């Protein structure tokens, strides 16, 4: 970590001793320089959206919601009044705990300009006031099977073709909701709907540039005006309340105590389609606390978030082969650090360099000890399955970062600047041939007015990760009505 301030040897007089610059003991890097590099990375990584871009983001989101309404209309499997969770950043950015080794590689600038993750409940269990008990007899920690016996006969009839069937000795049949079969159904349904939409293209409608099934998620890249947006759509099971297996976590002291209410933190959780290292892919789901993490993020200081984003950019490139560490591991370590360290320390605005070095140290410590507890279920070690060879390989790579953090930050800055340059070049090149933007959709070119654009920009940029409830009329899927928390749009 950084060395404390010291006075130059040999200086005379109590007021004439200029302090040494604050240094990182391990690398000798100046803390002030590291802070400036992190600020520069943040400037290029978090771009401001103008009114045009805000409208393009809104148009893409409307298209995705309308598409899901049409999916619901195909066979009425999805709930009519569904509640999606929209997160800023794709699955590859670690916004949810899903294995990355089955995902195709997409690069910002080359493949997309902005990325989002959308959790879409296929099933909902929302009428529970007590802790939710899941069937974890066949699963590793943090995972569960899901029997449709929890649901009514209509639901079983609707979804049994997406289940694995287990016959008991007493003659009873149990249907277990299958993440792989649900993902297959979802991809097929989305493909059918998009095919129908593309038969009757409308002016200003987003161009579907790519639709791919990546493991159990569906990745869609849309072109809207001059923007390309990646949506990672994840079929999930949604629960209100809190899982019994994580009940003891609520008894501990946490950094968010007194800043947000417990009701906000434990309002719900998900099962996402991901299995454990030795689990049965057709049956096993992973617990996800993405809704809670959105709330906890409100309590994390901007300087720590900047350090986290910069560290994430470094490790995504450095630790990509073999795939063992994901940005979600780093996110968990950051949450543990928030519990461990004083809030007054983490709130220091000029400590981003300290936080970056600490996150690297934490990650290296976790690798060397092959131990990274899940934040919500600490008894679950997310690195337990890794081989000694893999963890030591990544620990050595991190050692090189720790020896010269400034150089790795400069590399991360160059990567994000190159992605931004490529985005701008593609926008200029495609400005005359790309599909019309929402603003060019006929009529007065000055419409819609500036107030609408600012409202949409606020919706997109100030409410990332909020719970979005979508109320869709299956007979008119062109008009989704959605709500972000308690705001209606």
């Amino acid at each position: 970590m950084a060395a404390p301030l010291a006075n130059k040897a040999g200086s005379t007089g109590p007021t004439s001793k200029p302090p040494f610059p604050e240094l990182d003991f391990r690398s000798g890097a100046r803390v002030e320089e590291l802070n400036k590099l992190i600020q520069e990375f943040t400037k290029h990584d978090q771009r401001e959206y103008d009114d045009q871009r805000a409208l393009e983001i809104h148009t893409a989101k409307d298209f995705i919601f309308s598409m899901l309404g049409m999916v619901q209309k195909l066979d009425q499997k999805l709930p009519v009044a569904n509640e999606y969770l929209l997160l800023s950043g794709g699955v590859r950015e670690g916004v949810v705990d899903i294995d990355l080794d089955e995902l195709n590689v997409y690069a910002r600038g080359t493949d997309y300009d902005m990325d989002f993750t959308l959790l879409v409940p296929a099933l909902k269990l929302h009428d529970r006031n007590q802790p939710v008990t899941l069937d974890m007899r066949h699963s590793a920690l943090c995972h569960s099977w899901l029997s449709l016996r929890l649901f009514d006969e209509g639901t079983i009839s609707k979804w049994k073709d997406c289940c694995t069937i287990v016959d008991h000795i007493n003659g009873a049949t149990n249907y277990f909701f299958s993440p792989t079969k649900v993902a297959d159904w979802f991809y097929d349904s989305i493909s059918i709907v998009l095919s129908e939409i593309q038969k009757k293209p409308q002016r200003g409608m987003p161009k579907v540039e790519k639709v791919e099934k990546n493991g159990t998620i569906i990745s869609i890249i849309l072109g809207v005006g001059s923007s390309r947006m990646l949506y990672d759509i994840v079929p999930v099971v949604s629960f209100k309340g809190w899982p019994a297996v994580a009940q003891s976590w609520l008894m501990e002291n946490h950094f968010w105590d007194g800043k947000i209410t417990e009701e906000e933190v434990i309002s719900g959780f998900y099962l996402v389609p991901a299995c454990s290292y030795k689990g049965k892919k057709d049956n096993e789901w992973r617990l996800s606390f993405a809704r809670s993490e959105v709330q906890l993020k409100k309590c994390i200081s901007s300087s720590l978030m900047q350090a986290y984003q910069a560290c994430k950019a470094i490790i995504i490139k450095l630790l990509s082969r073999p795939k063992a560490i994901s940005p979600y591991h780093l996110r968990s370590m950051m949450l543990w650090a928030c519990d461990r360290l004083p809030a007054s320390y983490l709130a220091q605005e000029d400590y981003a360099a300290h936080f970056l070095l600490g996150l690297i140290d934490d990650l290296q410590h976790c690798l060397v000890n092959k131990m990274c507890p899940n934040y919500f279920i600490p008894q679950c070690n997310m690195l337990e399955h890794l081989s000694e060879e893999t963890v030591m390989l990544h620990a050595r790579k991190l050692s090189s970062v720790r020896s010269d953090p400034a150089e790795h930050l400069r590399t991360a800055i160059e990567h994000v600047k190159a992605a931004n340059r490529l985005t701008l070049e593609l926008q200029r090149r495609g400005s005359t041939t790309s599909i019309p933007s929402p603003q060019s959709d006929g009529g007065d070119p000055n419409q819609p007015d500036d107030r609408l654009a600012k409202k949409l920009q606020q919706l997109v940029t100030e409410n990332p990760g909020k719970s979005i409830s979508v109320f869709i009329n299956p007979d008119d899927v062109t008009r989704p009505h959605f709500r972000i928390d308690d705001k209606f749009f």
Side-chain angles (χ1 to χ4, degrees):
M1 291 300 292
L5 292 173
N7 290 330
K8 284 187 177 180
S11 298
T12 58
T15 60
S16 63
K17 296 180 180 178
F20 280 127
E22 191 175 6
L23 302 178
D24 168 36
F25 187 90
R26 173 69 187 90
S27 65
R30 292 191 176 200
V31 169
E32 182 182 7
E33 180 189 10
L34 294 179
N35 275 328
K36 288 179 179 178
L37 289 170
I38 293 170
Q39 289 170 9
E40 185 179 357
F41 173 83
T42 301
K43 179 182 72 174
H44 294 292
D45 188 52
Q46 298 177 355
R47 297 162 295 167
E48 292 290 330
Y49 296 148
D50 57 18
D51 296 340
Q52 174 74 18
R53 181 62 62 88
L55 285 169
E56 290 168 355
I57 292 171
H58 180 69
T59 298
K61 178 163 54 60
D62 255 4
F63 178 85
I64 293 291
F65 287 173
S66 295
M67 176 201 74
L68 292 170
M70 296 176 73
V71 169
Q72 195 281 334
K73 193 176 180 182
L74 277 180
D75 51 17
Q76 284 78 48
K77 274 187 163 74
L78 293 180
V80 174
N82 216 347
E83 187 173 5
Y84 307 152
L85 184 68
L86 179 64
L87 304 167
S88 296
V91 167
R92 295 157 191 79
E93 292 292 315
V95 295
V96 286
D97 184 16
I98 291 183
D99 308 313
L100 304 183
D101 54 353
E102 294 184 342
L103 307 186
N104 293 338
V105 176
Y106 299 151
R108 179 173 147 185
T110 304
D111 300 297
Y112 64 89
D113 308 312
M114 288 161 287
D115 51 337
F116 304 93
T117 298
L118 188 64
L119 305 189
V120 179
L123 289 175
K124 300 192 298 182
L125 272 172
H126 279 193
D127 298 322
R128 300 288 180 101
N129 294 319
Q130 69 274 16
V132 180
T133 302
L134 297 168
D135 186 357
M136 297 180 168
R137 294 171 297 171
H138 316 284
S139 306
L141 270 170
C142 227
H143 297 80
S144 179
W145 290 22
L146 182 68
S147 170
L148 287 195
R149 284 192 295 188
L150 296 171
F151 299 86
D152 56 63
E153 287 298 325
T155 301
I156 294 174
S157 175
K158 216 183 285 185
W159 282 106
K160 64 182 179 182
D161 58 333
C162 290
C163 293
T164 58
I165 301 172
V166 177
D167 292 319
H168 292 281
I169 298 174
N170 61 6
T173 299
N174 202 347
Y175 294 94
F176 287 101
F177 206 43
S178 169
T180 53
K181 292 185 178 182
V182 170
D184 289 341
W185 164 83
F186 205 21
Y187 174 71
D188 291 342
S189 299
I190 286 175
S191 299
I192 290 169
V193 165
L194 290 178
S195 177
E196 288 300 312
I197 291 174
Q198 289 169 319
K199 287 178 183 177
K200 300 176 182 179
Q202 298 177 2
R203 183 174 173 81
M205 186 179 77
K207 177 183 177 184
V208 181
E209 297 188 354
K210 186 175 292 186
V211 183
E212 290 187 335
K213 184 170 174 289
N214 285 280
T216 53
I217 71 170
I218 294 86
S219 299
I220 300 176
I221 296 179
L222 299 176
V224 189
S226 60
S227 302
R228 297 160 302 159
M229 291 163 221
L230 166 64
Y231 269 84
D232 284 329
I233 302 179
V234 186
V236 299
V237 181
S238 173
F239 295 84
K240 288 291 186 189
W242 198 247
V245 68
Q247 200 69 22
S248 60
W249 177 80
L250 295 175
M251 305 298 108
E252 304 294 332
N253 294 324
H254 298 289
F255 71 98
W256 48 266
D257 292 337
K259 299 176 182 176
I260 53 178
T261 65
E262 186 174 286
E263 288 71 25
E264 290 175 287
V265 174
I266 66 170
S267 62
F269 68 100
Y270 299 98
L271 296 181
V272 297
C275 74
S276 60
Y277 178 63
K278 293 183 179 179
K280 189 174 180 181
K281 285 188 175 183
D282 288 344
N283 282 26
E284 197 170 81
W285 299 77
R286 180 171 297 160
L287 274 74
S288 170
F289 301 90
R291 184 186 294 274
S292 302
E293 288 163 4
V294 168
Q295 300 299 324
L296 299 186
K297 187 177 177 182
K298 298 175 184 177
C299 306
I300 298 176
S301 69
S302 59
S303 51
L304 179 55
M305 283 305 303
Q306 289 174 9
Y308 163 74
Q309 295 292 349
C311 190
K312 182 173 70 170
I314 292 171
I315 70 164
I316 283 178
K317 300 288 185 184
L318 187 75
L319 307 185
S320 60
R321 293 287 184 274
K323 287 186 177 175
I325 295 295
S326 83
Y328 189 82
H329 292 108
L330 186 66
R331 176 186 288 229
S332 300
M333 294 170 200
M334 177 177 65
L335 293 173
W336 281 119
C338 288
D339 273 358
R340 184 177 70 243
L341 296 165
S344 56
Y345 170 74
L346 295 174
Q348 297 296 314
E349 292 183 2
D350 57 349
Y351 273 32
H354 297 265
F355 302 152
L356 171 69
L357 299 173
L359 287 171
I360 297 170
D361 288 340
D362 259 10
L363 185 52
Q364 192 168 22
H365 175 83
C366 289
L367 283 166
V368 169
N369 291 280
K370 211 167 76 170
M371 173 63 71
C372 179
N374 181 284
Y375 181 66
F376 299 92
I377 306 177
Q379 60 269 36
C380 173
N381 176 13
M382 297 189 291
L383 300 183
E384 186 177 26
H385 64 281
L386 296 181
S387 68
E388 296 292 336
E389 181 183 12
T390 297
V391 294
M392 291 311 298
L393 171 65
H394 285 319
R396 283 194 293 271
K397 288 181 179 179
L398 276 178
S399 179
S400 71
V401 177
R402 196 60 186 81
S403 298
D404 195 353
E407 183 59 31
H408 284 83
L409 277 171
R410 292 188 193 99
T411 301
I413 291 167
E414 287 307 311
H415 281 148
V416 73
K417 286 168 69 175
N420 291 343
R421 284 195 300 268
L422 186 53
T423 292
L424 292 173
E425 176 60 31
L426 290 171
Q427 287 172 355
R428 283 194 295 267
R429 197 184 309 164
S431 61
T432 58
T433 58
S434 64
I435 62 171
S437 72
Q439 285 182 312
S440 65
D441 211 14
D444 185 345
N446 294 321
Q447 295 295 326
D449 68 15
D450 186 56
R451 287 175 299 168
L452 172 61
K454 287 183 177 178
K455 183 178 181 181
L456 296 178
Q457 184 175 5
Q458 181 181 7
L459 166 69
V460 174
T461 60
E462 293 187 6
N463 296 290
K466 294 295 183 67
S467 175
I468 298 183
S469 301
V470 186
F471 302 92
I472 297 173
N473 178 358
D475 297 320
D476 182 12
V477 296
T478 63
R479 299 182 61 198
H481 304 280
F482 57 96
R483 178 185 73 190
I484 295 192
D485 286 350
D486 57 348
K487 302 175 186 176
F488 285 86
F489 296 88

